Amino acid sequence: MSNPNALSRYVSLLARKWLHALESLGITKNEHPLAGNNIGASIQPSNINPANITRSYSAPAYLFRNADRKNLNVLIDALVTKITWSSKKSGSNIVATGVIFTSGGKEYTVAAKKEVIISCGTVNTPQLLELSGVGSKNVLDKAGVDQVLDLPSV
């Protein structure tokens, strides 16, 4: 890493020893794992806030500072099950118009006024996209989902 002092502030001693252990086994260090080549030992970006050296996640990064906004509603124990799409296309792109979600055993459909942001994590974002018709036709057909967009990389 280019600045060893910065590395020591944000990476635990155990993680740094892990890199050295892998190198001793012949696994080379990869200084730039996000530049298209992810082969080799590396330390990935962390969720440490450099301003105060605390763990950062959705609540302090976004929710706490925006909690009083009138146009923000946070639902707990709710699960988005599908993205809704417009029947017409915008250029060559499909347009998300809202989401369908369940909460308290009931299903709700919410229309977006401006945009739909999908942020469900590494596993659930592709799952939601596929349940909503975005993905490989072969996968979607087997799941009984009508394809909206052919995107095999999902």
Side-chain angles (χ1 to χ4, degrees), residues 37-97:
N37 177 8
N38 63 356
I39 305 298
S42 63
I43 296 175
Q44 296 301 309
S46 70
N47 57 356
I48 303 299
N49 181 343
N52 58 13
I53 318 301
T54 59
R55 180 177 174 266
S56 182
Y57 54 100
S58 300
Y62 178 79
L63 178 61
F64 296 158
R65 70 179 89 187
N66 293 292
D68 293 331
R69 288 176 56 171
K70 292 179 181 178
N71 65 344
L72 175 66
N73 293 308
V74 178
L75 302 176
I76 57 172
D77 296 323
L79 177 66
V80 175
T81 56
K82 190 173 185 179
I83 303 165
T84 58
W85 308 102
S86 68
S87 58
K88 60 182 179 178
K89 293 186 176 189
S90 173
S92 62
N93 298 321
I94 58 172
V95 177
T97 57

Side-chain angles (χ1 to χ4, degrees), residues 26-40:
I27 299 172
T28 59
K29 187 186 289 187
N30 183 345
E31 296 285 352
H32 304 286
L34 302 179
N37 177 8
N38 63 356
I39 305 298

